[in-house]
Amino acid sequence: MPSQEYAPSKLRSNMRLSIIEGVVAMPLVFMTMPGNFLVASLATDLLNISAGSYGIIASLPAWCNILQLFAIPAMTRRASQKGICLAFSWVHLLCWAILAGALPYIPQDGSWPAVVFMISLFGASSFAFAIINISWASWIQEWLPMKSRGKYLGRRNRILQCGTVAFLLIASQTIQAFSQADLTRAFQWIIAIGILLRAYSIYLQQNIYSREEASLDREGTLLSKFKIILKHKSLFRFIMFGAAFGLTANFMGPFFPVFLLQSLEMAPNQVGYAVTIATITGALSMPLWGRLIDQHGCRPSLIISLSFWMVNGYLFFWTSPESKWLVYLIFASGGIFGSAFLFGSFAMILKLVPREAKTAAISLNLAATSLAGALSPIAGGFAIEWVQARSDDVLGIFHTFSAIHHTLILTTVTILFTIEEPKSSSIRQAVGSMRALRQAGALLGMSHFVNYSFFKKRKDPEE
């Protein structure tokens, strides 16, 4: 692979730059993620946008992830992955700069001008971010050796999460300081910080050296790329898993910050603290997950982390305005398994994609996941509005939708068992090697996992 021919000094320089630019990019990246508490608070608290309209906004990343499937092939034939990533990074930054400048002039009564403006701006931002996701994932394969990906990406994600913790603390304190006086100004300051840091991130990305495998990835039509993908059964099944996960996760997922704000009567800064705790626990556990994935493969890690993550979510049934402290515990344990799942998914797609169709494979995976989940937040938003119009039990509504949400996602684990991953261990071996993470099982009422041996005993030859 060409990346293996790089001088060690050049590879180390690329790794260092990628970590630094990732840290400073995280504030704006976090705000772009669907369903994050900052955008939820901005839309529902500041602009008073309804749940149905917010569901449309939350669905925009999914729709844009579908559109990129048709845009990426044409771009790839005309420009490098690095060039595409950098160009759309500037477009993405511009969208947020417009939002920061226009925020004081947007109506705060949930009227249609506010809804149309937010949908238009977030639509443009989401499309740019969809292109960035695909081009960056393909670009990093051009210079990062396969043997180093698990360890390096685990360390990189851990450092990025530490940077995210710092941003979340600053954002939460900013909202708390301005909440009684001028919440609009608070969001302007938060967005401005993200914009300045992202501009520096793009500057650093320009200094990352890479050498493209143009002859492998640029030749052929989109249809020929799909034929290559269909021949890789494990890759195709993983794409189907992504579609099932997107369908179930997006139905309720984007509305959790809204429920925490409204049903549990948490302040925006309190939701920020919960997200911060999840980020910290995820960062601390990331090295263990990186080693686990390197030693035993992605599939066992995905099955374990997703199962524990969803079981952990059932604890929301016991939350209330009087027991909101439980939210911090749920986020703390959920951060461990949620981060592992997201990291494992990224590592898995990089491991399964064929070199001759890597960009098309990553693009198709993102589009399939998004196509299944594009309508989910819209349906979820109107379902919530329909139930709320017929019941005043806001806490009961949250508990019901939360249980449905976690149960639906848990059923997708069965698809992972059908995927064959090269050089991966059994589920029993993987669980047995993660004693430090098994300690979290006690938090979920499964203390027997702490000391249980997941290895089969060898039979005595004389028996």
Side-chain angles (χ1 to χ4, degrees):
M1 187 173 181
S3 59
Q4 294 175 325
E5 300 173 3
Y6 293 168
S9 59
K10 180 62 67 175
L11 180 60
R12 285 195 297 269
S13 175
N14 280 356
M15 288 180 167
R16 183 176 64 255
L17 287 174
S18 182
I19 289 175
I20 298 174
E21 70 84 12
V23 170
V24 293
M26 279 310 296
L28 202 62
V29 170
F30 177 84
M31 288 186 285
T32 308
M33 295 296 180
N36 72 84
F37 82 96
L38 289 173
V39 172
S41 178
L42 188 154
T44 60
D45 278 3
L46 181 62
L47 304 180
N48 293 300
I49 292 176
S50 66
S53 298
Y54 175 68
I56 296 175
I57 294 174
S59 74
L60 290 174
W63 292 111
C64 292
N65 287 338
I66 298 170
L67 291 177
Q68 59 76 29
L69 180 63
F70 305 98
I72 280 288
M75 295 179 186
T76 302
R77 287 193 293 269
R78 293 171 174 80
S80 67
Q81 297 298 335
K82 178 179 179 179
I84 295 171
C85 182
L86 292 174
F88 278 88
S89 293
W90 287 114
V91 173
H92 178 249
L93 185 147
L94 178 62
C95 291
W96 283 90
I98 293 173
L99 175 60
L103 200 55
Y105 309 101
I106 303 175
Q108 299 183 1
D109 55 1
S111 58
W112 69 266
V115 174
V116 171
F117 179 82
M118 292 297 290
I119 289 176
S120 301
L121 196 64
F122 271 87
S125 170
S126 298
F127 179 74
F129 193 63
I131 300 296
I132 295 169
N133 277 335
I134 297 301
S135 56
W136 185 87
S138 185
W139 175 26
I140 197 173
Q141 293 183 81
E142 297 169 5
W143 58 265
L144 183 62
M146 173 73 75
K147 64 180 181 180
S148 304
R149 287 177 187 171
K151 183 178 179 181
Y152 170 73
L153 291 175
R155 182 164 62 94
R156 182 180 186 273
N157 287 347
R158 183 175 74 255
I159 296 173
L160 263 58
Q161 286 184 312
C162 293
T164 305
V165 168
F167 167 70
L168 291 175
L169 290 174
I170 294 173
S172 299
Q173 289 299 319
T174 303
I175 291 175
Q176 185 178 20
F178 284 90
S179 60
Q180 301 299 326
D182 189 356
L183 193 57
T184 301
R185 188 70 62 187
F187 280 109
Q188 281 187 300
W189 275 108
I190 293 171
I191 296 172
I193 292 172
I195 290 172
L196 291 175
L197 292 176
R198 181 59 174 142
Y200 182 55
S201 167
I202 299 172
Y203 167 76
L204 292 176
Q205 283 184 329
Q206 293 173 340
N207 296 310
I208 295 178
Y209 174 79
S210 61
R211 178 165 48 208
E212 282 196 275
E213 299 171 82
S215 61
L216 288 175
D217 198 33
R218 288 189 179 182
E219 294 179 353
T221 63
L222 182 61
L223 181 60
S224 65
K225 303 287 187 183
F226 288 167
K227 289 181 179 179
I228 294 173
I229 295 170
L230 289 174
K231 293 179 181 178
H232 292 73
K233 293 183 179 180
S234 291
L235 172 60
F236 185 73
R237 288 175 181 174
F238 186 70
I239 292 175
M240 292 300 99
F241 162 74
F245 179 81
L247 177 66
T248 53
N250 283 287
F251 177 69
M252 177 66 184
F255 298 95
F256 266 88
V258 179
F259 276 120
L260 297 179
L261 293 168
Q262 297 178 357
S263 300
L264 301 186
E265 301 176 4
M266 298 180 70
N269 64 295
Q270 291 177 317
V271 179
Y273 294 147
V275 176
T276 301
I277 292 172
T279 306
I280 293 174
T281 57
L284 293 175
S285 64
M286 195 60 71
L288 298 175
W289 285 110
R291 288 194 293 269
L292 182 69
I293 289 173
D294 280 341
Q295 294 172 9
H296 300 283
C298 301
R299 188 181 74 116
S301 302
L302 286 171
I303 293 173
I304 295 165
S305 60
L306 183 56
S307 299
F308 273 78
W309 191 15
M310 292 305 104
V311 171
N312 174 70
Y314 287 118
L315 292 175
F316 276 112
F317 189 80
W318 285 275
T319 58
S320 67
E322 293 74 30
S323 60
K324 62 182 66 175
W325 60 268
L326 187 56
V327 172
Y328 300 111
L329 177 61
I330 297 171
F331 272 71
S333 50
I336 297 173
F337 303 110
S339 296
F341 173 76
L342 297 176
F343 174 43
S345 298
F346 180 73
M348 183 71 151
I349 192 66
L350 290 183
K351 190 173 185 179
L352 293 178
V353 294
R355 290 174 58 192
E356 63 274 22
K358 60 184 176 69
T359 302
I362 297 172
S363 180
L364 179 61
N365 177 65
L366 181 60
T369 303
S370 302
L371 178 61
L375 293 174
S376 293
I378 299 177
F382 286 109
I384 292 171
E385 283 190 347
W386 186 87
V387 174
Q388 287 177 338
R390 289 159 177 78
S391 174
D392 295 328
D393 185 9
V394 292
L395 187 59
I397 293 173
F398 170 50
H399 290 162
T400 301
F401 276 99
S402 175
I404 294 173
H405 168 78
H406 292 96
T407 302
L408 289 176
I409 297 178
L410 194 58
T411 61
T412 65
V413 174
T414 57
I415 303 176
L416 290 172
F417 283 97
T418 68
I419 298 173
E420 295 181 3
E421 179 190 0
K423 299 180 181 179
S424 64
S425 303
S426 68
I427 304 301
R428 294 167 63 92
Q429 290 175 315
V431 177
S433 68
M434 50 183 287
R435 173 170 293 275
L437 292 175
R438 287 158 60 192
Q439 308 290 340
L443 296 175
L444 309 179
M446 293 176 284
S447 57
H448 61 282
F449 272 105
V450 177
N451 297 311
Y452 180 75
S453 174
F454 288 84
F455 293 92
K456 293 182 178 179
K457 294 182 179 180
R458 293 183 178 179
K459 294 183 178 180
D460 190 331
E462 297 181 359
E463 291 182 355

